[in-house]
Amino acid sequence: MTSKEEISPENYANWFALYQLCKHIEHRQTINISSVEFGKLLNLSQQTASRRINDLLELGWIKRKVEKKSQKIVLTKRGSDVMLLMYKNLKNILESIVILGTVQSGMKEGAYYVSIKGYFDQFQERLGFLPYKGTLNLELNSTNIDLLREKLKNIKPVIISGFEDDKSERSYGFVDCYDCFISRIDNPDDKIKAAILDIKRTHHKENIIEILAEPYLRDYFKLKDGDKLIIELNVNR
Amino acid sequence: MTSKEEISPENYANWFALYQLCKHIEHRQTINISSVEFGKLLNLSQQTASRRINDLLELGWIKRKVEKKSQKIVLTKRGSDVMLLMYKNLKNILESIVILGTVQSGMKEGAYYVSIKGYFDQFQERLGFLPYKGTLNLELNSTNIDLLREKLKNIKPVIISGFEDDKSERSYGFVDCYDCFISRIDNPDDKIKAAILDIKRTHHKENIIEILAEPYLRDYFKLKDGDKLIIELNVNR
DNA sequence: ATTACTAATATCCGAGTAG
DNA sequence: TCTACTCGGATATTAGTAA
C-alpha cells in the first residue's frame, strides 16, 4: 500500500534531499553521486549531505551501495511513493491556484462567427492579432468558472461592436472579449496571447468558454481533447 | 514572466509553508488562517508560523490583510508560479521513477486472442482473475520500455501454454504474462491487479504493451487516449 | 482574540579528522 | 580519494510578553 505519510517540519529537509536526488536519476531509478557532489546540489557541505543520505536510508526512501569513487543510490518503492504523493497533492492544489480549462471538441459555430468580416476586422484591430478562424472550447469546473467570472468583473473588456449585414439583412450583436494568456499546464512558460469571448453571450453550456488566438491552438500546443490549459488574466495579484 | 528561481536550502522551509497554505485555499486564491492554526499545520509554534508568513510576504509569494480574528492571505502571481514550477519539475521526475504508459486506441486483435477458449481458461486459472475480453494498449517512451524490460528479466513470468485447435486445425503458441498493478498517475492508491502480455511476442510496435485486467480498464479508470497510467511490478526495491 | 518582538534554548551545520 | 564521526559555533525555534 502507498504510504500516507505527510512531510512534516522534522523531515522536509529530507524531502528536498530526495527531490534533488530524483532530479538526477540516470537509469533504472539509480543515481551515482558522491556526498561532495550531493552537497553542491543542496548548497550544503559534504558532511551534511552525507548525513542527509543516512537520514533517507533510515526513512527507507533510498537504498545504496558505497563504492570507491561514489555511491550508487537506488530509490525504494517507499521513496517513489513519497514523490508520487507530493505530485498528487500539487496537482490538486493547482486546480485552486490557476484557472484551468479542459480542451473540448468544438462545435463548429465558433469558426463561423469569427470568419464574419464585420467581426473579423474588429478582432484584428482591437485585440492586436489576426485570429485563427475558429475558437478553442475549454470546459471549466464550477470552482474555476466562478473564479473566472469574479476576475472578469474587474477587467475592462475589449468591445467588438455589433453591425448590420446588408446582404442577409441580419443584425449581429456586440461581443465582449477579454485579453488573456494561454499555456499548457506542463509548460506554463510558453504563453500565447489570446482572448476569451464573452461567456455571457455564448450558446454553450454555462461552464464552457471560447478562446481566440492567432495560431491554431490545437496544433500549436499539440492538444488532444481532455488536455488541460492554464488561462491567465492580466490582473494584479 | 515566470520566475525561474529554484528552491534552495535557505528557503525550502518557506516553500513548505507556501505549500501548506495552498492546501487550504478556499476561494479566489484566498486563505483565512490565524498564526496559531498555521502553526498547527506546520507542526510549529505560533511565533514561527507568524515569522513564516512574514518571510512569504517578503518573498512576494503572498499578500495579506491582518484582521481581528484572523488574517486573509492571498496568493500572488509569483507565489503561484513557485507552485507551478515545482509541479512541472515533479512531473518530469515521475517519468524516471515510475513506469508510465500512455493509453492508445487499441487495434481489436487483442480482444480476439483473449477470447479464445484455450487461452481464456488458462488466464483465469493462472492469473487469478477472469480477464475482460480485450486488452488495453499502452505506449511507453524509450526510457520506460528499457526500464520495463530490465525489470521483467528479474521476474518469473506466468506461462500460458500453447495448444492446437481441432476445428480450425490451427496451433496457438505459448504466451508469457507478468503480474502487475495499474493505477492512474493522479490517483496512485487505486491499483488494479493486472497482467502484461509478453512484449516479445506482440505484433505491435516495440514500445507498445498490452494489459489484461478483470474490469474494462477504460471504464474503470475513466480513460481517454493520451491518459497516463502507472505500471507497477512486484519487484523489491 | 489577534500578531510579533526579544531573549533563552534547542537544533542544525560544517571544520577537523578518523577509518 | 571516499564516508561519517565529534564538537563548537551558527542558525532557527520557542517561551514570555507587548501591542
Side-chain angles (χ1 to χ4, degrees):
Chain A
M1 272 294 86
T2 301
S3 72
K4 282 287 187 301
E5 66 200 309
E6 245 317 332
I7 313 302
S8 65
E10 301 101 59
N11 62 10
Y12 57 49
N14 291 326
W15 189 89
F16 263 100
L18 187 71
Y19 165 72
Q20 291 292 355
L21 272 182
C22 285
K23 276 175 130 179
H24 292 80
I25 284 178
E26 286 145 34
H27 192 48
R28 312 218 293 127
Q29 286 113 348
T30 303
I31 308 114
N32 278 293
I33 194 168
S34 72
S35 57
V36 177
E37 290 173 295
F38 188 43
K40 279 178 193 155
L41 278 185
L42 300 172
N43 277 318
L44 291 170
S45 67
Q46 170 272 321
Q47 291 89 333
T48 303
S50 170
R51 213 180 27 239
R52 285 280 196 283
I53 303 248
N54 281 303
D55 292 344
L56 298 182
L57 282 167
E58 213 162 291
L59 285 162
W61 293 356
I62 60 171
K63 285 184 181 173
R64 76 155 169 191
K65 267 186 194 150
V66 182
E67 285 162 0
K68 288 200 172 167
K69 288 214 52 146
S70 68
Q71 49 199 335
K72 197 166 111 179
I73 293 170
V74 184
L75 195 66
T76 61
K77 175 76 178 59
R78 211 174 155 75
S80 64
D81 282 348
V82 169
M83 297 306 284
L84 269 172
L85 178 63
M86 181 59 87
Y87 172 79
K88 179 185 158 186
N89 289 342
L90 277 180
K91 199 168 181 218
N92 286 333
I93 286 173
L94 286 200
E95 301 271 341
S96 52
I97 66 175
V98 290
I99 300 174
L100 287 184
T102 308
V103 174
Q104 293 259 319
S105 41
M107 327 174 202
K108 309 292 175 189
E109 295 138 341
Y112 168 68
Y113 282 100
V114 178
S115 313
I116 295 170
K117 195 168 161 41
Y119 283 137
F120 193 72
D121 293 348
Q122 289 186 70
F123 284 141
Q124 175 164 24
E125 185 192 326
R126 299 185 191 170
L127 293 176
F129 60 83
L130 191 71
Y132 174 81
K133 287 184 177 172
T135 58
L136 181 71
N137 291 337
L138 295 180
E139 183 178 5
L140 276 67
N141 68 22
S142 59
T143 314
N144 277 191
I145 198 89
D146 289 347
L147 188 54
L148 181 66
R149 286 224 177 81
E150 199 66 45
K151 290 194 168 214
L152 290 186
K153 279 186 199 164
N154 305 315
I155 295 183
K156 213 169 53 185
V158 176
I159 299 166
I160 306 294
S161 318
F163 56 91
E164 307 258 328
D165 187 328
D166 299 334
K167 279 176 285 186
S168 64
E169 291 180 346
R170 232 199 94 168
S171 74
Y172 293 86
F174 75 95
V175 182
D176 284 351
C177 293
Y178 296 88
D179 287 324
C180 69
F181 286 92
I182 302 289
S183 56
R184 283 187 67 105
I185 190 168
D186 53 359
N187 189 17
D189 296 337
D190 185 10
K191 291 175 192 169
I192 278 284
K193 191 169 157 49
I196 301 172
L197 292 188
D198 184 4
I199 51 175
K200 287 192 301 289
R201 299 175 57 84
T202 56
H203 35 277
H204 287 306
K205 281 186 288 175
E206 285 281 296
N207 62 335
I208 293 184
I209 62 170
E210 293 195 44
I211 302 293
L212 270 185
E214 184 163 341
Y216 178 47
L217 292 174
R218 280 188 178 262
D219 280 354
Y220 184 85
F221 284 129
K222 298 189 181 66
L223 299 173
K224 304 178 298 295
D225 284 0
D227 282 355
K228 298 208 166 179
L229 294 179
I230 298 175
I231 303 149
E232 228 172 288
L233 299 166
N234 303 313
V235 200
N236 288 335
R237 264 205 284 141
Chain B
M1 270 292 85
T2 300
S3 73
K4 282 285 187 302
E5 64 199 311
E6 245 315 332
I7 313 301
S8 64
E10 301 102 60
N11 62 7
Y12 58 49
N14 290 326
W15 188 90
F16 263 100
L18 187 71
Y19 165 72
Q20 292 291 356
L21 272 181
C22 286
K23 275 175 131 179
H24 292 79
I25 284 178
E26 285 145 36
H27 192 48
R28 312 217 296 126
Q29 288 114 347
T30 303
I31 308 114
N32 278 294
I33 195 167
S34 73
S35 56
V36 177
E37 290 173 295
F38 189 42
K40 279 178 193 157
L41 278 186
L42 299 173
N43 277 317
L44 290 170
S45 67
Q46 170 272 321
Q47 291 87 336
T48 304
S50 170
R51 219 188 34 240
R52 284 281 196 284
I53 303 250
N54 282 303
D55 291 345
L56 297 183
L57 283 167
E58 213 161 290
L59 284 163
W61 293 357
I62 60 171
K63 286 183 182 174
R64 76 156 167 189
K65 266 186 195 150
V66 181
E67 286 162 0
K68 289 201 173 168
K69 288 214 51 148
S70 68
Q71 49 200 334
K72 199 167 113 179
I73 293 170
V74 184
L75 194 67
T76 61
K77 175 76 179 60
R78 212 174 154 75
S80 64
D81 282 348
V82 168
M83 297 306 284
L84 269 172
L85 178 62
M86 181 59 86
Y87 172 79
K88 180 184 157 187
N89 289 341
L90 277 180
K91 201 172 167 171
N92 286 334
I93 285 173
L94 286 200
E95 301 270 341
S96 52
I97 66 175
V98 290
I99 301 174
L100 287 183
T102 308
V103 174
Q104 292 260 319
S105 41
M107 326 172 202
K108 308 292 175 190
E109 296 137 342
Y112 168 69
Y113 281 101
V114 178
S115 312
I116 295 168
K117 193 168 160 44
Y119 284 136
F120 193 71
D121 294 348
Q122 290 186 69
F123 283 141
Q124 175 164 24
E125 186 191 325
R126 297 183 192 171
L127 293 178
F129 60 83
L130 191 71
Y132 174 81
K133 287 182 177 172
T135 58
L136 181 72
N137 292 338
L138 295 181
E139 182 178 6
L140 276 66
N141 67 22
S142 59
T143 314
N144 277 191
I145 198 88
D146 290 346
L147 188 54
L148 181 66
R149 287 223 178 80
E150 200 64 45
K151 291 194 167 212
L152 291 185
K153 280 187 198 165
N154 305 315
I155 297 183
K156 213 169 54 186
V158 176
I159 299 167
I160 307 294
S161 318
F163 55 91
E164 308 258 327
D165 188 327
D166 299 334
K167 279 175 284 186
S168 64
E169 289 180 347
R170 229 198 96 168
S171 75
Y172 293 87
F174 75 94
V175 182
D176 284 351
C177 293
Y178 296 88
D179 287 324
C180 69
F181 286 92
I182 302 290
S183 56
R184 283 188 67 105
I185 191 169
D186 53 359
N187 188 17
D189 297 337
D190 184 10
K191 292 174 191 168
I192 278 284
K193 192 169 156 49
I196 302 171
L197 292 187
D198 184 3
I199 52 175
K200 287 194 301 291
R201 299 176 58 83
T202 56
H203 35 277
H204 286 307
K205 281 185 289 175
E206 286 281 295
N207 61 336
I208 292 184
I209 63 170
E210 293 196 43
I211 303 292
L212 270 184
E214 186 163 339
Y216 177 47
L217 292 174
R218 278 187 180 263
D219 280 354
Y220 185 86
F221 285 128
K222 299 189 180 64
L223 298 173
K224 307 177 296 295
D225 285 359
D227 282 354
K228 297 210 168 180
L229 295 178
I230 298 175
I231 302 149
E232 227 171 288
L233 299 166
N234 303 311
V235 199
N236 288 335
R237 265 203 280 143

